[in-house]
Each structure stands twice: as structure tokens, then as C-alpha cells.
Amino acid sequence: MALSQAPSQAVSEDRLWNRHMALARHGATPRGGVNRQALSAEDIEARRTMVGWARDIGCSVFGDELGNFFIRLEGSRPDLPPVLTGSHLDSQPTGGKFDGVYGVLAGFEVLQAIRDTGQVPRRSIEVVAWMNEEGSRFAPGMMGSAGFAGVRSVDEIIAVHDARQQSVAESLAELALALPDVPMRPLCTPVHSYIEAHIEQAPVLEAHGVPIGVVTGIQGKRTFRVTVTGEESHAGTTPHRRRRDALLSATGMVQALERQCFDPLDITRFTVGMFRVEPNAPSVIPAKVTFSIDIRHESSARLVELGDAVTPLCLAHAGPCEVRVEELSTAMSLEFPESIRSEIEAAASRLGLGHMRLLSAAGHDARYLNDHCETGMIFVPCLKGVSHHESESATPADLIAGARVLAEVVWARANDAD
Ligand code: GLV
Ligand code: MN
Ligand code: MN
């Protein structure tokens, strides 16, 4: 292969696609999706596969105390902060093959393309898989990137438990035991810039027939956990006046919240995605309900209003029960720097790829990296915009188009003179 070939020309569509299919075997579901929740056995096996691929092309691998995973292609100036790219390998319980994985594999394809051209970048280039982006097993999500960027403390993160009462700390110990030969390094290390590639998870690019999304920023999001406590008793013998039915109170809260968040313009996003009833037996009055709230809005001011209404509304609908509302994460709308956005646009234009600017309605680890270094994101279309669903799909042609743009931007940044 010619020494001067641009990495964006050396990326391989087949290799990128085949790696998606190979990683999708870790946690494959019968309906064609992926259940690979953070720090599960399946997540660990996916990392093991990536360690093998990384070492095969002569890259080093690292972990950190929050289970973030890095693959490093050493530059000629290893003392300089690296250019970082990547996303996450964990999935929702009924997730697809591309959410998160694409950013990691597109980044890895860029490393391999650079290797194949025989060139060495000035700065090192690293690919990262952040720990627990999804937040389905351990809430809230984006734990690894928040801890890396110093937005949340390690102590706060490792104390979080899953529904089976296993902590993040215990799960990180399992990871360390399973992959003992991955050396550790500190959190919060300096990074030159972070570029994350991701499927769009919405139908805008597909509707416009445009292969590249230049992400302007990420809409704001607030998440809560609500615990409603009543009292269990006999369904047949307990009269109405003595009942403290946690389910009835909780459903009243959800309906009131839904009315509060109803938006005729359809900009507000309101979701109760997790709802747990205890003891969950047909003839026992529910004693405890735990549910999640996820509210998103592109206007930070509106998000503040909607989020601030949650606790008063839950208290007003508690009836005879007690209610505790915990805010798990608060993230306002953000904008990525114009410098990276215009570089992504210019790279797409050089490659002859159509592009358009759009705001990300979904959350990404890039949110926290944006507090740490210059950050940007590249989107590619996914089928009908469907994501967080086992049928999530994307075409090899769109995936490689995004990887080409990523290669241009990463290569240019790794070789700039600053
Ligand atoms: C990310 O997975 C999100 O929920 O936006
Ligand atoms: Mn994702
Ligand atoms: Mn996701």
C-alpha cells in the first residue's frame, strides 16, 4: 500500500461491517438485537475481542479505575495529549448492533487504516469505549465519561447498585479479574480533542437522503428516580379507607407528569421507562413502586421548569403513601465548538459526501468530554431512525462514509502543529 495514501481512503467497508457482526455475537438476542449491559459478562467478552484485535495491529490497550477501555496508536510525539475517538460497547437490554459500537469500531477502523498506510501520526490516537453509557443496568448512564472528565466523583459512581443489588465497584472487580493483563492508567488525563461517531437514532438524515450529520450539540436531559412507599396487605379484606396502595399513587403521579409535560409542539420528551412494583403479587396490595423519569428538551430554560415541577407533582399525588424523589442527572443543552463542526463539514465536502447540521436528541458521552477538551460528533443514518430496539439497522455504505469523515478529522488533528 502506498505510503502517502490518506487514511480516509484506506478504511475498509467489509472489515468495519464484519466487526459489527462479530461484536453483535456478544449478547446476541433471539430477535436479532443485543443485550450487553454495562460490566456484564457479555460486555467483558466484547472487550476481550477488542483487546485481541488491538494487539493484532500492534496497538496497546489500557483501562482505568472506572472501567473505561482505551486502544492506543502511538504517535511520533507520545508526550503530547492524544486525539481521542470512540463511544460505548454497552447496550440497552433490547438494544441493537450499532448504538455505541459504531463509534468504537469506526475509530478502530481509522487506527487500522493508518497502520495499513504505514504512516505514524504526530500525536497518538486513542479509541475509547466508555463504561456504562446507557444507564439501564446502573443509573444514571454516561458514568465512565462523567468520571473521566471529573464531572462525577469515583466514590459516587462505584456506590451505584443494579436491580440485583450488585454495585459498580463489585462489577469493576469482576472486570479486572477477567482481563488482568490490561494495564491501568489515571482518570482525567489531558486530551487534545474528542470526536465521536454515532448512528443518528432519529430519521432526519435518512429523510433528507444525506449520509453525514454534523452534530451541533446535544439537547438537555434530566433524570429522576421516584420511590413510592405504601403498605402491603390483603387484596380481599382491606377496605378502601385502610389501603396505602403504592401503585395507585404512582400511576397518579405518572399521569400528572405526563399532563405537565404534554407539548402540542412535540418538542418535549417525557418517558417513564422503568416501573417496578413490589411485591408484585396479584392478591397483595402493592407496598412499593420505583419508577424512572427521563425528561428532555432543547431549551435549557424549559427543561429547568419541567424538571423543577417533578417533586411538587409527585408530592401532590402521593395520597396515603410516602414518596421520595431523587434527581439522578441534570444536563442542560450544549453546543459543540464551531471549529470542529466546520472541520467535519469541510472533511465531508472534500470526500464528496453530502452533509447537514443537526442537534442530537439522544445523549452521548461527548457531553462530558465537551467539558474536558474540544469535542465534536459525526452522525450517520440508521434505518427509519429506529434505535434502542433490536431491529436497529444501518447500511455498510453509510457506516464507512462516517468512518471516512472521522479518519479525515482525526488524522488532521493528530498532525496539526499546535
Ligand atoms: C442514550 O442512550 C440516551 O438515552 O440518549
Ligand atoms: Mn449511544
Ligand atoms: Mn443508547
Side-chain angles (χ1 to χ4, degrees):
M1 194 157 289
L3 282 186
S4 57
Q5 189 183 22
S8 59
Q9 301 305 319
V11 292
S12 158
E13 183 174 313
D14 287 348
R15 196 166 54 193
L16 181 59
W17 181 259
N18 292 340
R19 286 206 172 111
H20 278 89
M21 297 307 114
L23 279 194
R25 289 200 274 274
H26 300 300
T29 61
R31 291 195 302 174
V34 170
N35 178 5
R36 190 171 52 235
Q37 295 182 61
L39 302 177
S40 61
E42 295 79 16
D43 183 16
I44 292 173
E45 287 315 304
R47 290 157 184 255
R48 196 190 301 285
T49 297
M50 295 262 7
V51 170
W53 290 340
R55 291 188 173 146
D56 282 350
I57 64 163
C59 287
S60 44
V61 296
F62 297 93
D64 65 26
E65 63 178 306
L66 285 178
N68 296 317
F69 172 66
F70 300 86
I71 300 173
R72 179 176 170 96
L73 174 72
E74 191 96 324
S76 60
R77 289 285 312 275
D79 54 309
L80 296 176
V83 173
L84 188 61
T85 181
S87 190
H88 58 98
L89 292 176
D90 67 309
S91 79
Q92 294 287 338
T94 53
K97 301 184 186 77
F98 302 94
D99 175 3
V101 178
Y102 172 58
V104 177
L105 290 181
F108 188 66
E109 184 56 38
V110 172
L111 294 194
Q112 183 149 16
I114 294 170
R115 271 272 186 260
D116 287 350
T117 65
Q119 298 173 91
V120 177
R122 180 164 170 272
R123 294 176 181 279
S124 302
I125 302 173
E126 296 188 357
V127 174
V128 61
W130 301 108
M131 188 273 284
N132 186 29
E133 191 274 347
E134 296 289 5
S136 51
R137 178 178 178 197
F138 300 108
M142 293 185 264
M143 279 183 168
S145 52
F148 180 85
V151 176
R152 296 180 66 203
S153 75
V154 172
D155 287 349
E156 181 193 348
I157 291 170
I158 64 175
V160 173
H161 287 76
D162 66 9
R164 296 197 341 254
Q165 295 310 312
Q166 177 162 340
S167 68
V168 171
E170 288 159 346
S171 308
L172 287 170
E174 288 176 359
L175 172 67
L177 268 180
L179 296 175
D181 60 341
V182 174
M184 300 291 257
R185 41 177 227 201
L187 295 167
C188 295
T189 47
V191 174
H192 174 267
S193 38
Y194 177 67
I195 326 287
E196 179 167 346
H198 207 283
I199 56 165
E200 183 201 347
Q201 307 181 278
V204 180
L205 292 174
E206 188 184 68
H208 286 80
V210 167
I212 300 296
V214 180
V215 183
T216 54
I218 301 180
Q219 78 167 341
K221 162 175 166 179
R222 292 177 75 175
T223 64
F224 301 81
R225 181 193 295 125
V226 182
T227 310
V228 185
T229 308
E231 192 176 16
E232 61 194 73
S233 63
H234 196 291
T237 61
T238 313
H240 185 261
R241 66 181 182 282
R242 291 234 199 100
R243 288 181 180 232
R244 294 176 60 223
D245 185 328
L247 180 58
L248 286 185
S249 296
T251 50
M253 293 172 200
V254 173
Q255 301 219 346
L257 288 162
E258 206 276 328
R259 277 194 299 274
Q260 170 78 11
C261 291
F262 175 73
D263 176 0
L265 299 175
D266 202 9
I267 296 171
T268 309
R269 304 280 182 252
F270 166 77
T271 307
V272 172
M274 190 276 289
F275 199 91
R276 206 165 40 234
V277 182
E278 295 170 60
N280 209 19
S283 298
V284 182
I285 293 169
K288 186 172 169 188
V289 169
T290 313
F291 67 93
S292 62
I293 301 171
D294 178 319
I295 304 176
R296 309 196 195 196
H297 204 286
E298 56 188 51
S299 152
S300 294
R302 185 71 184 130
L303 185 65
V304 167
E305 274 171 19
L306 291 169
D308 287 355
V310 167
T311 301
L313 270 178
C314 289
L315 288 170
H317 290 80
C321 298
E322 279 134 45
V323 61
R324 184 156 80 105
V325 180
E326 297 160 89
E327 182 150 8
L328 299 182
S329 62
T330 314
M332 295 298 126
S333 277
L334 66 84
E335 285 200 353
F336 295 128
E338 180 52 32
S339 50
I340 294 209
R341 300 195 249 174
S342 42
E343 271 174 58
I344 295 169
E345 264 167 0
S349 296
R350 279 197 302 282
L351 295 167
L353 295 164
H355 51 82
M356 63 183 285
R357 291 190 170 206
L358 34 73
L359 178 76
S360 176
H364 300 286
D365 295 297
R367 162 176 291 285
Y368 292 130
L369 270 292
N370 191 50
D371 293 338
H372 189 68
C373 62
E374 228 184 336
T375 292
M377 288 192 76
I378 300 165
F379 275 173
V380 296
C382 58
L383 184 67
K384 298 191 175 103
V386 171
S387 186
H388 287 189
H389 193 288
E390 289 162 284
S391 68
E392 182 185 83
S393 185
T395 67
D398 284 338
L399 298 176
I400 202 64
R404 285 207 172 96
V405 175
L406 182 69
E408 284 280 307
V409 176
V410 165
W411 182 246
R413 288 196 154 243
N415 290 299
D416 73 6
D418 308 347

